[in-house]
Amino acid sequence: MKGIVFTEFLELVEDKFGLEMVDNIINASNLDSGGVYTAVGTYSFSEMLQLLEHLSANTGISIDDLLLVYSEHFFSVLKDSYPGLLETYKDPIEMISSIENHIHVEVRKIYPDAELPTFEVVEKTENSLIVIYRSSRAMHHFGLGLMNKTFEHFNSTATIVLEKLKEDGTEVKFLINKD
Ligand code: HEM
């Protein structure tokens, strides 16, 4: 997992819960990095999972809800860091259906070692989209937050329903309907 995901995460934790919480969750985790991250480095996903688990235990907020809030913050980071990628699109459904064949393809050129999910487009109309998310990281709520923000970016909203195809969340169907 790329360092930028960790640095932005810890910054948000500090903003919302304070520096003491950052220290707490780092100290409670068993981290090869020692909790020191650089934006361009690459770290094991298990480090993110431990940080999330300890933050969840300390705050009583579920990991899914933490990922949802975090991804909404991460969207602005992506928007500021890669403005060109977003400018290609005029419509949220077009953009979300292009993650697999365009957006994440470009991301892989920048970070060859990025750990990205796959999104299979099952059905697409002008106002609706069905995609299947697959990733061993089961970060479907991170995807949900990015999708919500994508609609907001185009001054639009959508109703998005998640249907777990695998209990562990590694395969999830997203049913997206523009409001
Ligand atoms: C992960 C870039 C849009 C879904 C990532 C990561 C980067 C990235 C850098 C981290 C990879 C790693 O840690 O190794 C971008 C950029 C985007 C974009 C530059 C647009 C400009 C989206 C959108 C979605 C999405 C709109 C919504 C469906 C995800 C998910 C992950 C991820 C779910 C977490 C990894 C996983 O589930 O396996 N993306 N992304 N991305 N991205 Fe994107």
Side-chain angles (χ1 to χ4, degrees):
M1 173 159 273
K2 293 311 298 174
I4 191 169
V5 184
F6 289 87
T7 53
E8 290 296 334
F9 175 72
L10 292 176
E11 254 178 55
L12 187 65
V13 173
E14 185 180 342
D15 270 6
K16 302 263 184 209
F17 304 106
L19 197 53
E20 206 181 329
M21 181 65 88
V22 174
D23 285 343
N24 277 344
I25 63 173
I26 287 176
N27 292 331
S29 303
N30 188 359
L31 308 172
D32 284 342
S33 68
V36 181
Y37 302 100
T38 64
V40 292
T42 302
Y43 307 90
S44 130
F45 172 66
S46 84
E47 298 206 3
M48 178 53 70
L49 200 56
Q50 289 186 68
L51 294 169
L52 281 166
E53 276 164 356
H54 290 118
L55 184 61
S56 174
N58 283 329
T59 59
I61 304 169
S62 71
I63 290 186
D64 280 353
D65 283 345
L66 289 172
L67 279 174
L68 186 65
V69 172
Y70 176 42
S71 61
E72 293 186 344
H73 164 76
F74 197 67
F75 186 84
S76 355
V77 175
L78 294 176
K79 207 160 106 170
D80 295 345
S81 309
Y82 310 100
L85 267 180
L86 277 108
E87 276 161 19
T88 321
Y89 298 97
K90 293 180 180 64
D91 175 88
I93 294 203
E94 283 305 324
M95 179 167 149
I96 294 167
S97 61
S98 304
I99 299 166
E100 183 68 20
N101 295 328
H102 174 234
I103 295 180
H104 279 173
V105 174
E106 293 303 313
V107 171
R108 182 149 328 273
K109 289 183 195 163
I110 306 166
Y111 305 119
D113 55 355
E115 294 179 299
L116 298 164
T118 64
F119 284 98
E120 180 194 341
V121 176
V122 175
E123 199 186 293
K124 179 171 172 258
T125 73
E126 202 186 324
N127 292 310
S128 74
L129 183 67
I130 300 177
V131 291
I132 296 178
Y133 161 92
R134 291 187 182 89
S135 166
S136 61
R137 289 164 293 285
M139 289 173 71
H140 41 83
H141 270 61
F142 191 79
L144 176 61
L146 291 176
M147 288 181 194
N148 284 334
K149 282 285 165 186
T150 301
F151 277 90
E152 198 181 300
H153 173 74
F154 295 101
N155 297 312
S156 176
T157 56
T159 303
I160 304 177
V161 175
L162 273 70
E163 204 181 280
K164 276 191 188 174
L165 301 181
K166 284 194 180 153
E167 198 52 49
D168 64 3
T170 55
E171 205 172 305
V172 177
K173 188 187 265 189
F174 283 77
L175 301 112
I176 306 163
N177 280 288
K178 218 183 216 175
D179 294 328

